[in-house]
């Protein structure tokens, strides 16, 4: 390789001194060993505490060898957890077994995340700037060195295939593919709403930068990033947030009312420009629905705390309520959201005490790879069905009139009944957001992400041996091979979206094995989960602690809508029926006209 690199440079640039490629380009260090160059063409692998030794950290120590022989594969573990319902029903009802398994899930997953964080988009080696500059997302794998023979290091062709071509050939939806796990749009919008509090790329600085300095579940999407915005959104009385009453129900105030910046196109009427913590939440009524639910929850919890603590001032009620809502969010994410996504029959549990006897760092840094893998736009349908109306993207986006006209209860029920799209398996990104997928590919390249297989190895999976191994079929596999040249040059993001899904599942193996560690680390690494915080007094006493420990998605919604409780679920009610209905109705919807919203989005992609 080095000789070839030499020749190429000699011939093409006419250098008199032979320059060889950075030897770390070939990623010679295995098993999470660290590659360091020594001179121009030597390298050294640091195998410290990897459990392996040797030039490339490939020889296992005895204990490591035994462990690898005994360790079941991720797919086996997944199979066990998603089958044997009767067995799991018994385990779920034996507290010490449930606790034991849950703490194993938490530690085994979160140990895959480096904490404190290490690299970032600018630095592939550890240093103080990369550690301390919170404006960067962190990086789990260092960027591919700039002086490598190919974009993925040494594998594949000199240039990657055109991002637009990849998006159109392999990611673009031909016909809506419903998620076999029965995921609802209620889930899709929760995913978008919840994650946008910490995925806030600062495109003005570049794709490696974030405006989310909390790096986790800080509820900045409700309270705003920074004190200035927070104060504008606060009523500054009884701890509450500002609101507006419409049709006897509580909604967010408008931009005019509170003078905070929100991203709305000019044609939106002033009375529909709701103002909330996150500037971009006017984009989709699904986001504004959740923003409204959390606004109501905040003010509801304030009323409860005032009863408990008439002696507290506005500030203490506000701050304590925020901690309660953070707790509620984490509880719902683990016990409703991750529970649904996992498909496990094992019942997950949010209980910070499970980690008190483990080595665990209560800190978190959002990584760029986590953001990229979370671009789950295939979840989105072709059109949105609300009550008996059907909305195109054109009609739905930036239209808060939808929120007011239908009301929160009807929105919740309609979104809970509409099925979302399958994420893995390829060709399921709706035309309206294909631009976003194309940009994800371009940004990944700009940030010099390593290959899909490099990430599989980093997260303890076997690298794929071929494109057929990746997609589980022949057609896309052959085309991908033609375009990329080698499986070790396959990029992570398109790889995740074309990966063969697990049987009857929304995702393939890689999405889950990479996503779960980031997710659980981010949830449990929150300061409220640490021993000194996790006690009733932090949450205003027993009553507040009880709110955190008893909340569910269902309760969150039903305590905040007038009238009877709607259907609230991350899972569509009658799967078979909904699925076939969706397949039937959607086939006629993938029309050229759906492409129009892409135009709307083009100019504003940097605002999210
Ligand atoms: C109608 C619904 C949606 C629209 C119109 C939409 C559109 C967009 C746009 C325009 C961007 C910015 C892309 C860029 O500048 O590179 C974006 C980013 C993103 N979207 Fe969506 N999206 C929708 C739903 C979702 C859903 C359901 C998810 C589920 C998780 C999601 C996850 C993300 C993530 C993680 C980002 C990156 C955010 C950031 O880094 O700041 N989106 N989306
Ligand atoms: C380590 O990796 C390099 C480059 O991939 C290879 O040439 C060398 O033979 C390997 N060394 C050992 C001991 O396996
Ligand atoms: C973080 O790094 C960026 C890019 O180098 C720089 O512009 C910014 O000022 C740094 N932030 C801090 C707080 O040092
Ligand atoms: C917004 O939604 C309302 C229904 O609430 C609908 O009548 C209107 O046409 C939509 N606006 C646009 C611009 O499509
Ligand atoms: C589509 O609808 C027809 C009747 O409208 C029904 O008989 C058929 O089973 C549906 N097709 C699918 C794929 O579900």
């Amino acid at each position: 390789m080095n000789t070839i690199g030499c020749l190429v440079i000699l011939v093409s640039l006419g250098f008199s001194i032979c320059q060889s490629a950075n030897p770390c380009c070939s990623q010679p260090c295995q098993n999470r060993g660290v590659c360091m160059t020594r001179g121009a063409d030597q390298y050294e692998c640091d195998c410290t505490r990897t459990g392996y030794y040797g030039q490339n950290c490939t020889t296992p120590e005895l204990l490591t060898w035994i462990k690898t022989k005994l360790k079941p594969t991720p797919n086996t573990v997944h199979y066990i957890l998603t089958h044997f319902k009767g067995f799991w029903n018994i385990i779920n009802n034996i507290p010490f077994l449930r606790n034991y398994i849950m703490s194993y899930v938490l530690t085994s997953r979160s140990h895959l995340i480096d904490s404190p964080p290490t690299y970032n988009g600018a630095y592939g080696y550890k240093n103080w700037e990369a550690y301390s500059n919170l404006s960067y997302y962190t990086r789990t794998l260092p960027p591919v060195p700039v002086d490598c023979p190919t974009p993925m290091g040494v594998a594949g062709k000199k240039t990657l295939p055109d991002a637009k071509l990849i998006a159109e050939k392999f990611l673009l939806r031909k016909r809506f593919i419903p998620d076999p796990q029965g995921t609802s749009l209620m889930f899709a919008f929760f995913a978008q709403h919840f994650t946008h509090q910490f995925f806030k790329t600062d495109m003005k600085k570049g794709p490696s930068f974030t405006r989310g300095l909390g790096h986790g579940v800080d509820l900045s999407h409700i309270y705003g990033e920074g004190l200035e915005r927070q104060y504008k959104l606060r009523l500054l009385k009884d701890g509450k947030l500002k609101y507006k009453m419409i049709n006897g129900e509580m909604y967010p105030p408008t931009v005019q009312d509170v003078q905070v910046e929100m991203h709305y196109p000019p044609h939106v009427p002033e009375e529909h420009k709701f103002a909330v913590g996150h500037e971009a939440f006017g984009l989709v009524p699904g986001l504004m629905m959740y923003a409204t639910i959390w606004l109501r929850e905040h003010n509801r919890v304030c009323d409860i705390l005032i009863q408990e603590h008439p002696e507290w001032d506005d500030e203490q009620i506000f701050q304590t309520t925020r901690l309660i809502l953070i707790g509620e969010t984490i509880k719902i994410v683990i016990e409703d959201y991750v529970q649904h996504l996992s498909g496990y029959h094992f019942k997950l549990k949010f209980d910070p005490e499970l980690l008190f006897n483990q080595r665990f760092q209560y800190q978190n840094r959002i990584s760029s790879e986590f953001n990229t893998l979370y671009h789950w736009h295939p979840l989105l349908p072709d059109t949105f069905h609300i009550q008996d109306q059907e909305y195109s993207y054109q009609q739905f986006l930036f239209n808060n009139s939808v929120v007011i006209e239908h009301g929160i209860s009807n929105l919740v029920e309609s979104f809970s009944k509409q099925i979302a799209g399958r994420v893995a398996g390829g060709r399921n990104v709706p035309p309206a957001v294909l631009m976003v997928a194309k940009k994800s590919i371009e940004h990944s390249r700009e940030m010099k992400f390593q290959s899909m297989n490099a990430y599989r190895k980093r997260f303890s999976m076997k690298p794929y041996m071929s494109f057929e191994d990746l997609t589980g079929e022949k057609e896309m596999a052959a085309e991908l091979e033609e375009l990329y040249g080698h499986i070790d040059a396959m990029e992570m993001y398109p790889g995740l979206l074309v990966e063969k899904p697990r049987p009857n599942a929304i995702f393939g193996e890689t999405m889950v094995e990479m996503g779960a560690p980031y997710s659980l680390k981010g949830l449990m690494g929150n300061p409220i989960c640490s021993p000194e915080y996790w006690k009733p007094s932090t949450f205003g006493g027993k009553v507040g602690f009880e709110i955190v420990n008893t909340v569910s998605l269902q309760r969150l919604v039903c305590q905040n809508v007038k009238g009877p409780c709607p259907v609230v679920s991350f899972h569509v009610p009658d799967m078979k029926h909904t699925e076939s209905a969706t397949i039937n109705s959607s086939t006629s919807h993938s029309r050229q006209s759906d492409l129009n919203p892409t135009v709307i989005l083009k100019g504003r992609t940097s605002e999210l």
Side-chain angles (χ1 to χ4, degrees):
M1 203 68 240
N2 283 346
T3 353
I4 295 170
C6 262
L7 285 174
V8 169
I9 289 167
L10 274 171
V11 171
S12 63
L13 300 176
F15 278 0
S16 51
I17 303 160
C18 177
Q19 283 196 332
S20 48
N22 181 332
C24 288
C25 289
S26 64
Q27 296 141 14
C29 310
Q30 305 300 308
N31 299 302
R32 298 179 62 180
V34 178
C35 190
M36 184 177 69
T37 55
R38 277 215 166 274
D41 54 4
Q42 303 285 306
Y43 71 91
E44 211 173 84
C45 293
D46 187 343
C47 312
T48 307
R49 287 182 293 277
T50 59
Y52 292 81
Y53 59 95
Q55 191 190 0
N56 301 326
C57 315
T58 45
T59 317
E61 290 162 5
L62 180 62
L63 198 62
T64 311
W65 185 84
I66 296 168
K67 278 189 196 156
T68 54
K69 290 291 161 207
L70 292 177
K71 202 174 153 211
T73 68
N75 282 334
T76 307
V77 175
H78 182 83
Y79 184 87
I80 295 169
L81 283 160
T82 52
H83 290 76
F84 316 112
K85 194 156 191 233
F87 165 77
W88 288 113
N89 280 342
I90 298 167
I91 301 279
N92 291 339
N93 287 303
I94 305 172
F96 89 91
L97 280 179
R98 185 179 171 208
N99 288 350
Y100 180 82
I101 293 170
M102 190 65 206
S103 81
Y104 176 76
V105 168
L106 291 175
T107 49
S108 64
R109 293 289 193 187
S110 52
H111 279 164
L112 286 165
I113 304 301
D114 293 320
S115 183
T118 51
Y119 314 112
N120 69 23
Y123 294 102
Y125 54 92
K126 278 152 222 151
N127 65 82
W128 194 258
E129 172 61 19
Y131 164 72
S132 62
N133 190 329
L134 296 179
S135 299
Y136 284 94
Y137 291 116
T138 186
R139 280 284 283 275
T140 302
L141 282 180
V144 176
V146 283
D147 48 356
C148 291
T150 74
M152 292 292 130
V154 296
K157 309 189 176 182
K158 289 240 173 292
T159 53
L160 287 164
D162 182 46
K164 186 157 169 278
L165 183 75
I166 297 294
E168 284 169 1
K169 263 182 121 93
F170 306 102
L171 308 186
L172 176 63
R173 174 176 294 162
K174 302 281 179 303
R175 186 168 145 244
F176 179 76
I177 305 163
D179 168 32
Q181 276 179 242
T183 299
S184 67
L185 283 195
M186 190 67 181
F187 177 94
F189 292 129
F190 190 99
Q192 191 183 13
H193 182 266
F194 167 71
T195 61
H196 280 41
Q197 72 188 295
F198 47 75
F199 295 146
K200 300 199 288 187
T201 304
D202 190 347
M203 284 303 173
K204 284 196 201 87
K205 291 207 184 94
S208 292
F209 293 90
T210 177
R211 286 175 288 116
L213 304 183
H215 284 274
V217 185
D218 60 358
L219 268 46
S220 60
H221 60 330
I222 301 176
Y223 303 108
E225 185 80 36
L227 273 183
E228 198 189 325
R229 193 173 175 95
Q230 183 198 109
Y231 273 110
K232 288 179 176 173
L233 293 168
R234 281 170 64 175
L235 194 59
L236 299 175
K237 184 172 176 296
D238 299 340
K240 290 187 177 174
L241 291 170
K242 285 180 188 161
Y243 59 91
K244 194 180 189 89
M245 297 303 288
I246 303 172
N247 305 328
E249 292 202 285
M250 188 183 288
Y251 287 92
T254 63
V255 169
Q256 239 172 9
D257 295 336
V258 295
Q259 298 294 314
V260 302
E261 167 129 1
M262 290 290 291
H263 303 319
Y264 286 105
H267 69 76
V268 176
E270 285 304 324
E271 70 269 23
H272 289 165
K273 290 186 181 170
F274 287 143
V276 297
H278 196 298
E279 305 88 348
F281 278 7
L283 174 68
V284 195
L287 289 172
M288 197 49 79
M289 172 192 77
Y290 274 113
T292 306
I293 292 170
W294 283 113
L295 168 75
R296 292 178 188 180
E297 177 67 2
H298 177 94
N299 287 348
R300 187 187 75 88
V301 171
C302 285
D303 280 331
I304 295 171
L305 280 188
I306 292 162
Q307 294 292 314
E308 291 290 306
H309 298 284
E311 77 285 8
W312 282 6
D313 62 1
D314 166 74
E315 182 69 10
Q316 197 164 1
I317 302 265
F318 171 84
Q319 298 296 355
T320 306
T321 300
R322 183 174 184 163
L323 291 187
I324 292 174
L325 264 70
I326 289 174
E328 290 189 90
T329 300
I330 299 174
K331 170 98 173 165
I332 291 171
V333 171
I334 292 179
E335 296 192 2
D336 289 303
Y337 178 93
V338 177
Q339 182 76 59
H340 165 76
L341 210 54
S342 69
Y344 292 172
H345 293 308
F346 172 65
K347 203 165 159 220
L348 300 174
K349 185 181 182 193
F350 172 48
D351 181 359
E353 291 189 5
L354 294 175
L355 288 174
F356 289 177
N357 55 3
Q358 311 273 341
R359 263 182 293 133
F360 183 79
Q361 295 276 330
Y362 291 98
Q363 58 168 314
N364 189 52
R365 195 78 59 91
I366 298 297
S367 88
S368 221
E369 295 96 335
F370 188 30
N371 181 346
T372 301
L373 76 78
Y374 230 115
H375 284 59
W376 294 348
H377 296 94
L379 287 174
L380 294 167
D382 289 335
T383 59
F384 302 86
H385 301 268
I386 303 171
Q387 296 188 274
D388 44 16
Q389 264 163 276
E390 188 179 353
Y391 293 89
S392 67
Y393 279 80
Q394 188 96 254
Q395 296 164 319
F396 194 63
L397 298 185
F398 293 113
N399 192 348
N400 285 332
S401 159
V402 172
V403 181
I404 304 166
E405 292 303 317
H406 295 277
I408 299 301
S409 196
N410 289 318
L411 280 183
V412 168
E413 178 145 333
S414 297
F415 291 152
S416 295
K417 287 178 172 171
Q418 187 175 352
I419 195 161
R422 189 183 216 175
V423 174
R427 297 184 178 152
N428 208 18
V429 174
V433 290
L434 192 68
M435 273 293 292
V436 184
K438 190 192 121 209
K439 287 203 165 205
S440 308
I441 299 173
E442 288 168 350
H443 294 153
S444 300
R445 293 176 182 181
E446 198 180 328
M447 294 186 283
K448 316 240 12 146
F449 275 8
Q450 293 191 24
S451 67
M452 169 137 192
N453 267 345
Y455 281 100
R456 284 182 57 85
K457 289 200 262 179
R458 172 60 181 74
F459 284 89
S460 316
M461 286 168 277
K462 285 224 307 274
Y464 282 125
M465 299 309 290
S466 66
F467 286 94
E468 273 186 45
D469 194 14
L470 163 69
T471 66
E473 48 79 84
K474 290 188 189 308
E475 190 219 327
M476 287 193 295
E479 291 182 90
L480 284 167
E481 172 141 38
E482 166 102 24
L483 288 165
Y484 280 99
H486 195 282
I487 186 66
D488 287 339
M490 183 64 204
E491 297 173 276
M492 178 186 84
Y493 175 68
L496 287 165
L497 292 196
V498 299
E499 188 178 22
K500 60 176 177 292
R502 278 170 166 161
N504 298 310
I506 187 167
F507 297 137
E509 179 189 33
T510 317
M511 184 75 84
V512 177
E513 300 304 316
M514 283 183 72
Y518 290 123
S519 166
L520 293 175
K521 171 68 182 173
L523 295 162
M524 301 308 291
N526 195 285
I528 69 155
C529 299
S530 67
E532 192 45 39
Y533 279 68
W534 187 247
K535 46 178 80 171
S537 55
T538 305
F539 305 94
K542 252 174 64 184
V543 172
F545 205 34
E546 187 77 359
I547 295 174
V548 173
N549 285 311
T550 56
V551 77
S552 63
L553 177 73
Q554 165 93 27
R555 290 190 71 157
L556 171 71
V557 171
C558 295
Q559 284 171 329
N560 291 298
V561 294
K562 268 211 180 134
C565 184
V567 175
V568 191
S569 182
F570 286 153
H571 193 287
V572 292
D574 182 347
M575 245 210 71
K576 286 220 161 59
H577 174 259
T578 320
E579 189 177 334
S580 54
T582 316
I583 289 171
N584 262 352
S585 66
S586 69
T587 38
S588 59
H589 295 315
S590 273
R591 296 168 312 229
Q592 196 59 26
S593 63
D594 283 344
L595 283 162
N596 287 344
T598 314
V599 181
I600 304 178
L601 289 171
K602 244 181 200 162
R604 16 193 65 258
T605 47
S606 61
E607 289 172 1
L608 270 177

